[in-house]
Amino acid sequence: MYQTCYIKYPNPNLKEIAQELRKAGSLPEALLWNEIKNKQLNGLDFDRQKIIGNYIVDFFCASKFLVIEIDDKTHDFKVEYDTKRDEYLKSLNLTVIHISAKEVLENPHAVYEWLSNHPGTSCHPSNGGELVLVDAHIRDFLDYLQSGDVVVFNNSRVIPARFMADEHEITLHTSVNDHDWWGLCKKFNKINIGDTLNMDDGTKIQVVDKDEESGLLLHFDCDNVFEVLDRVGKMPLPPYMKREEETEDRNRYQTVYAEPLGSMAAPTAGLHFTDELMMEIEKRGAKIVKITLHVGAGTWMPVKTENLNEHKMHSEWCCITQEQADIINNATRVIAVGTTSMRTLESAHKLTDGKHRVAPICQTTNIFITPGYEVGAVDVLLTNFHLPKSTLFMLVSAFAGLDEMKAAYAHAVAEKYRFFSYGDCCLLFKKEN
């Protein structure tokens, strides 16, 4: 059983209309809302005047993929519109229940009692593993949370890892120790072991080693590499952005919960979260755990080999404490925000006495997750849209199914979703074998 839910920003005009409809709701809507709000209906969480695609529905329950519409006499003149809307909603595998305004006015509690015995008919993913696609907003992520969930974030902070040394542009990606880093360089072949390069502030770096995959091993002649980079470095925006770093990138290419320095790329799924959204997660009864994986070249380097077994994943340092592992192991579901969170969790995963567990770790990982890999530590994954033929697309295909992800990406392209680092994201539910 699995589902794929897309999350993106809605039409801003619809948002304003929905807000007005909530304020000016009809009496039947108000009466039914009084019966089903605050999870009164079988513990289900409903939204009122919910935007789905280009439509606004009266009531929506995300966990049951259920829409409830109250029809008054005005709907007698909207048959064509209602038919078109229902066809669209059903194409998303949503169940649409129509209730007349008269029924609600006569006995709203009787309608509530009827609904208590009928939402189970909805076509949510428990219908045998059928692919479900739903367009939504990032804030709708909250509606998919359940009490007992643990939401896992990667809290690594991006460093301004790109800098000039003489005429060479270098991007650091992996720390060896406080003074030695591996870095990628466009003019790799023009630099020799033993060369000394000068950064813009006069800091000297020595080339200690070279490797075709990892680039240059550099020794920094300074007290604190991070302080030097903060002065002369630039945020390492992905090359497909084809632009220079802007001042705003120092903040916007960083998650609001970033802490330990060490990444050469942002864990981009986390860029969608605000401080307010983080607080709302815990208000919904879920817990937050912030683990660490310092993003390096291993996360985004393309696959160049015909045989996947020959692809070399760069190692990246990650850490899960004992306290964090205990919280994760007691979760009802584990929701990983970002592929780096998932890779860390799977690196720490072990099967003990038939139970999936996460062990505390502080080590490097070069885990390579491809279709056929059996995911053990993660139940739900929130992630951005990735480049084709990348290790990240292979990871999400292993999680949710290759054919399913191809269909999902086709939908995203058709709906003009934004891809990559500053783009939209999707919520994926694990495909069971």
Side-chain angles (χ1 to χ4, degrees):
M1 298 180 292
Y2 60 92
Q3 60 191 16
T4 305
C5 172
Y6 282 93
I7 292 179
K8 75 173 189 178
Y9 297 95
N11 182 325
N13 294 328
L14 285 181
K15 185 176 180 179
E16 293 177 5
I17 295 171
Q19 289 173 342
E20 290 301 317
L21 288 173
R22 291 188 197 105
K23 294 178 183 178
S26 66
L27 179 58
E29 288 176 11
L31 290 171
L32 184 56
W33 180 239
N34 192 54
E35 295 284 342
I36 67 175
K37 66 182 181 181
N38 298 326
K39 299 184 179 181
Q40 295 179 89
L41 179 62
N42 298 345
L44 301 178
D45 192 9
F46 279 87
D47 284 307
R48 185 181 178 191
Q49 300 301 335
K50 180 69 176 178
I51 300 170
I52 301 178
N54 290 317
Y55 298 96
I56 300 173
V57 301
D58 291 336
F59 304 103
F60 176 63
C61 175
S63 64
K64 282 291 184 179
F65 280 64
L66 175 66
V67 171
I68 299 176
E69 283 289 304
I70 298 179
D71 297 339
D72 56 22
K73 290 184 178 180
T74 63
H75 285 261
D76 293 341
F77 306 98
K78 299 167 58 180
V79 175
E80 184 177 348
Y81 174 87
D82 286 351
T83 300
K84 185 177 179 181
R85 178 201 57 200
D86 284 7
E87 287 176 353
Y88 172 75
L89 296 174
K90 290 175 182 178
S91 74
L92 302 177
N93 272 15
L94 301 180
T95 291
V96 184
I97 295 177
H98 287 271
I99 301 171
S100 72
K102 181 180 179 182
E103 289 178 278
V104 179
L105 288 170
E106 289 178 350
N107 194 338
H109 191 70
V111 174
Y112 164 84
E113 292 290 345
W114 182 87
L115 287 171
S116 296
N117 297 310
H118 287 79
T121 60
S122 64
C123 296
H124 74 308
S126 62
N127 63 0
E130 184 177 344
L131 177 66
V132 178
L133 299 176
V134 177
D135 297 301
H137 185 279
I138 183 60
R139 189 167 182 82
D140 297 323
F141 172 74
L142 299 170
D143 295 332
Y144 291 88
L145 295 177
Q146 301 172 7
S147 180
D149 285 345
V150 172
V151 186
V152 181
F153 294 86
N154 176 14
N155 69 350
S156 181
R157 179 175 289 275
V158 184
I159 61 175
R162 185 168 294 152
F163 60 90
M164 296 300 296
D166 295 332
E167 75 274 18
H168 304 292
E169 183 181 85
I170 298 172
T171 303
L172 302 184
H173 63 80
T174 303
S175 171
V176 176
N177 54 50
D178 289 345
H179 292 88
D180 298 321
W181 282 74
W182 283 100
L184 302 174
C185 180
K186 293 181 178 179
K187 299 180 180 179
F188 173 83
N189 293 326
K190 294 185 177 182
I191 300 177
N192 300 309
I193 296 174
D195 285 353
T196 297
L197 305 175
N198 298 285
M199 299 178 69
D200 288 348
D201 69 341
T203 299
K204 296 184 180 301
I205 53 179
Q206 285 80 42
V207 181
V208 178
D209 200 359
K210 292 180 66 175
D211 181 87
E212 289 288 344
E213 294 291 334
S214 299
L216 306 173
L217 179 58
L218 305 169
H219 176 80
F220 287 76
D221 186 14
C222 64
D223 293 330
N224 190 309
V225 174
F226 294 137
E227 288 181 0
V228 172
L229 292 174
D230 196 50
R231 288 196 300 269
V232 302
K234 297 180 180 180
M235 293 300 274
L237 299 180
Y240 52 72
M241 286 190 178
K242 296 184 180 3
R243 67 171 174 83
E244 291 296 316
E245 176 209 38
E246 299 170 358
T247 303
E248 292 83 357
D249 290 314
R250 287 276 176 140
N251 291 320
R252 65 189 177 195
Y253 198 58
Q254 202 80 266
T255 63
V256 296
Y257 49 82
E259 293 178 18
L261 287 163
S263 283
M264 57 86 69
T268 51
L271 297 178
H272 299 278
F273 288 82
T274 62
D275 290 324
E276 293 75 17
L277 192 55
M278 298 288 285
M279 288 189 291
E280 285 295 327
I281 289 173
E282 294 186 317
K283 288 181 181 179
R284 297 293 178 107
K287 293 183 178 180
I288 290 174
V289 170
K290 300 171 186 174
I291 62 177
T292 303
L293 181 139
H294 290 320
V295 183
T299 294
W300 56 270
M301 288 291 280
V303 176
K304 298 178 181 179
T305 61
E306 291 292 331
N307 186 343
L308 288 182
N309 294 326
E310 296 176 359
H311 176 72
K312 179 183 176 182
M313 286 289 289
H314 289 254
S315 293
E316 297 164 303
W317 187 86
C318 63
C319 188
I320 299 176
T321 67
Q322 181 66 64
E323 181 182 2
Q324 292 171 335
D326 290 341
I327 296 172
I328 293 166
N329 288 331
N330 286 310
T332 303
R333 295 184 307 174
V334 176
I335 302 173
V337 176
T339 56
T340 58
S341 295
M342 178 173 161
R343 291 180 65 241
T344 305
L345 289 164
E346 291 300 319
S347 296
H349 170 258
K350 61 181 181 178
L351 194 62
T352 305
D353 298 328
K355 294 182 179 179
H356 294 284
R357 312 288 291 175
V358 167
I361 59 170
C362 274
Q363 63 187 51
T364 58
T365 179
N366 63 351
I367 188 170
F368 186 19
I369 298 174
T370 60
Y373 174 91
E374 186 173 347
V375 177
V378 178
D379 302 295
V380 183
L381 172 65
L382 183 95
T383 181
N384 279 24
F385 294 94
H386 307 294
L387 288 163
K389 299 181 181 180
S390 66
T391 61
L392 300 182
F393 183 75
M394 293 176 191
L395 182 148
V396 297
S397 297
F399 185 79
L402 177 58
D403 291 338
E404 289 77 10
M405 291 312 303
K406 287 180 178 179
Y409 272 49
H411 174 83
V413 171
E415 292 296 318
K416 295 182 173 57
Y417 278 78
R418 297 172 301 169
F419 276 51
F420 315 140
S421 296
Y422 281 158
D424 296 311
C425 59
C426 55
L427 189 67
L428 308 174
F429 290 67
K430 181 170 66 175
K431 179 178 181 179
E432 301 292 350
N433 293 327

